[in-house]
Structure formats: structure tokens, C-alpha cells
Amino acid sequence: IVVTVQANKSQRVNLTAFKAQLETRPTNTICNTGLHITATTPITAYYECANTNNTDIWALKGPNGLGQQFYIPLHKHAPFNNEASFSAPHQAFASFDICATVNNTTVTIYSPTQVDGHAALQQFSITLNRGQTYSCGWTGANWSLPSTHPSGAVVLANQPVVVSIKDDSDHNPSGGCYDIMGDQLVPTSVVGTDYIAVKGSLNNTGDESVVLMATQNNTQVFLDGSATPIATLFAGEYFRVDIDSLSTS
């Protein structure tokens, strides 16, 4: 697919006809679903699930998304359970998806929770060629409970890979609506120490959150310029900051 985009303009490419070739499923299976985008000059791009409901965008990070070490920042907040009424192969579960950019890439995964085909706390490796993908998540018993999310999993690769997360059809405690959450990650070589969180439009009892994931041991977290840390984290440890109290403006 080739499109021409003028400066300061944008172009939408409808990929609906290619969904079967782009959706990386089932889990624990090597697939050929990588999407490769190149341009003659620098661009920005995102991938969108463009349903009327349950929609999100994955902001593609270009070179900043390429790396060899990633931590998976999925939440484990109990009220944000996944919608459980969808049956396989359309379960609304949480996972992370890996895509290789170089042939014969060895990817090693270590998850603190069990994932399909692999026990918790036991590293395993897969080999991917350029454009091949692998989805890692749990679709077994209690798959809709956040306690089963592979939060804090580590991905190591001997060649640059890209990693995305998806957490499908999450409920919030203030109502009956649910939404998918996801994004393309950046590797540990790109993560930072200073962030600004913007509140959305959930109800004030919706547990709107900032999800923090440490990539190094003894990581201290400071909020709003305080000199006292609100948490000290090990690598791979998750911490949630509730921001319901902030103004929606």
C-alpha cells in the first residue's frame, strides 16, 4: 500500500480488509502479522481500532520503539476487570505482543504470572524472523481478573524488537462502560524519570489512574515535587496512583 502525503496533511489507510493478517492471535503462537511502515521523509503514525465503542490508538514510536529490553506495564487493579462475556476466540484479555525486525531474533520472556503455555517465574525463549510476532498473555481460568495480567514481565532480545500491550474491554468501578487500553512501548533505554499525567473524563469514582512500572531496583517515585517518595520499587514492580481528585480541566 503506497500513499502520498503532503506536508502538514494526514492520510488514513483503512486496514479493515487485512484484519485477519494483522491481529496477532492466538497467544503462545508465532505468527506472521507484523505491520511494516516506511516513508521517504519523517512522519508520525498511529494504529487505531476504529470501532464506535471500545476504541484506542497505538502511537507508533519509530526508532524510539526499537529495543532489546522491555518491562510490561500492565495494571493489576482489581476494579479494572476485563469484560468476561466474550468467548474464545474473542476473549477480552490482557497481553503483550512482540514483533521482530531482524531474522533469527532470540526473544527471552520472564513473567511473574503464568501465561499461556508457560508457568510463572520460569523464563522461556522463542525465535522470530523479521516481521514475525508473538502474543503473550493468559486466557485460562480467571483470565478476566487483573491479578492474572502479566504485569512486570521482562522481554529481552538479542536483536531490536518492538513490543505493544493491549488490555481489552476494561471496566471501571463508576459505571457499566468498558474500553480497550493499549500502546506501543519504548525500551528501557528510552524510558525517563519525569512525567506529566493528564486526567480524562471518567466519573470521580472511576479510579482514573497513573500506572508506574520500575525498570531498576530501588526506584523512588515522587509526586508533585514532594521530597518524600510515595513508593520505592523493585525492577518490574507496579504501583498505581489514583488521580480521581484532579480537576478534569
Side-chain angles (χ1 to χ4, degrees):
I1 301 172
V2 179
V3 297
T4 300
V5 185
Q6 301 299 319
N8 303 313
K9 301 292 183 180
S10 62
Q11 176 119 0
R12 179 174 181 263
V13 179
N14 191 332
L15 298 174
T16 303
F18 303 98
K19 281 174 61 177
Q21 296 168 253
L22 293 172
E23 293 183 348
T24 302
R25 62 182 182 182
T27 57
N28 194 35
T29 302
I30 295 175
C31 302
N32 297 309
T33 55
L35 177 62
H36 189 208
I37 301 171
T38 62
T40 55
T41 57
I43 62 168
T44 59
Y46 62 81
Y47 184 90
E48 180 178 19
C49 285
N51 299 319
T52 302
N53 299 313
N54 205 19
T55 184
D56 204 348
I57 64 171
W58 280 250
L60 304 182
K61 307 302 192 298
N64 285 333
L66 288 169
Q68 295 177 253
Q69 183 185 64
F70 295 81
Y71 280 84
I72 306 303
L74 290 164
H75 77 86
K76 298 180 80 72
H77 187 47
F80 290 165
N81 61 291
N82 301 93
E83 172 60 39
S85 64
F86 304 113
S87 58
H90 301 294
Q91 289 165 288
F93 59 94
S95 73
F96 57 95
D97 298 354
I98 304 161
C99 182
T101 65
V102 178
N103 286 340
N104 200 33
T105 296
T106 299
V107 181
T108 300
I109 299 168
Y110 178 86
S111 175
T113 62
Q114 62 183 342
V115 292
D116 289 344
H118 302 277
L121 304 175
Q122 293 186 13
Q123 69 178 35
F124 62 95
S125 297
I126 57 172
T127 299
L128 301 176
N129 287 325
R130 181 174 182 258
Q132 287 190 318
T133 54
Y134 180 85
S135 183
C136 189
W138 175 248
T139 61
N142 300 318
W143 55 266
S144 65
L145 301 181
S147 59
T148 66
H149 290 179
S151 175
V154 186
V155 175
L156 302 175
N158 68 337
Q159 301 285 353
V161 298
V162 291
V163 181
S164 295
I165 58 172
K166 61 179 186 286
D167 188 7
D168 195 9
S169 299
D170 264 26
H171 286 269
N172 77 81
S174 69
C177 64
Y178 48 85
D179 271 303
I180 190 170
M181 299 187 293
D183 205 0
Q184 186 183 74
L185 303 182
V186 295
T188 57
S189 60
V190 177
V191 296
T193 59
D194 191 14
Y195 291 87
I196 297 174
V198 179
K199 189 179 186 300
S201 299
L202 287 182
N203 295 329
N204 287 334
T205 55
D207 287 2
E208 193 145 5
S209 307
V210 177
V211 173
L212 305 170
M213 176 65 60
T215 64
Q216 297 182 33
N217 290 338
N218 198 35
T219 294
Q220 293 183 313
V221 179
F222 303 89
L223 185 64
D224 291 336
S226 172
T228 303
I230 59 171
T232 300
L233 307 176
F234 283 99
E237 194 171 8
Y238 143 89
F239 186 78
R240 187 185 74 90
V241 178
D242 192 299
I243 59 173
D244 278 345
S245 59
L246 297 181
S247 170
T248 56
S249 62

